[in-house]
Amino acid sequence: MDIISQLQEQVNTIVSLAFNTFGTLQRDAPPVQLSPNYPEPPSNATEDVASLAEQPKLLTAELVKAAKQFDLLVGALPLSEGGEEAQLKRIAELQAENDAIGHELQKQLEGAAEKELKQVQELFRQATDNCFNLKKLD
């Protein structure tokens, strides 16, 4: 598997772990009284408090482990040739190429629009001529 696919897979793992961690924390959080005007919430005394306290630590450790693995994969990415200056130059070249192609496409679009407009105008002219010719016959 290439490095980009590994990075994508690791991001998916991190997202899944984060989702499960937050969901577990939300599910297992003890109830809290919102204000003195509300009754005291019922407690979950039947559940094992020790295991509830340990589970977030385990999930957090897995999340940190996955993040460190992601950092290792990022560190394994090949360095770009020429440094930041070369990258900025390449970006400028690509932007100029993109602008030139954009202008060419705009010209083509305008030409096609002009052609379409002329066709519609001709059809409209023919339709009006036909309408006038029908009225003359009556």
Side-chain angles (χ1 to χ4, degrees):
M1 186 183 312
D2 69 329
I3 190 75
I4 300 298
S5 298
Q6 290 177 15
L7 282 168
Q8 290 171 334
E9 186 65 32
Q10 195 62 30
V11 167
N12 289 340
T13 301
I14 290 171
V15 169
S16 176
L17 285 169
F19 181 80
N20 289 335
T21 300
F22 299 146
T24 300
L25 290 173
Q26 182 182 16
R27 180 194 68 205
D28 296 341
V32 177
Q33 186 176 11
L34 296 176
S35 80
N37 298 335
Y38 292 102
E40 185 72 29
S43 64
N44 296 339
T46 58
E47 296 188 28
D48 185 15
V49 176
S51 69
L52 287 179
E54 196 63 31
Q55 192 170 16
K57 292 177 185 175
L58 294 172
L59 291 170
T60 303
E62 286 296 315
L63 190 57
V64 169
K65 181 181 171 185
K68 286 181 180 179
Q69 180 65 32
F70 181 81
D71 288 342
L72 287 173
L73 288 170
V74 169
L77 286 171
L79 296 175
S80 64
E81 299 170 9
E84 185 177 347
E85 188 175 311
Q87 287 179 351
L88 292 175
K89 182 180 176 186
R90 179 68 176 140
I91 289 171
E93 290 170 358
L94 290 173
Q95 186 64 43
E97 182 181 341
N98 186 40
D99 291 343
I101 292 172
H103 290 301
E104 180 64 31
L105 288 174
Q106 185 66 30
K107 287 179 186 177
Q108 289 177 3
L109 179 64
E110 289 171 0
E114 281 291 324
K115 183 179 177 183
E116 189 75 24
L117 178 62
K118 287 179 182 178
Q119 288 177 345
V120 168
Q121 288 173 338
E122 178 60 26
L123 289 172
F124 182 74
R125 187 192 61 73
Q126 289 175 4
T128 55
D129 287 349
N130 289 338
C131 286
F132 286 138
N133 288 338
L134 287 175
K135 287 183 182 180
K136 290 179 183 177
L137 296 176
D138 292 341

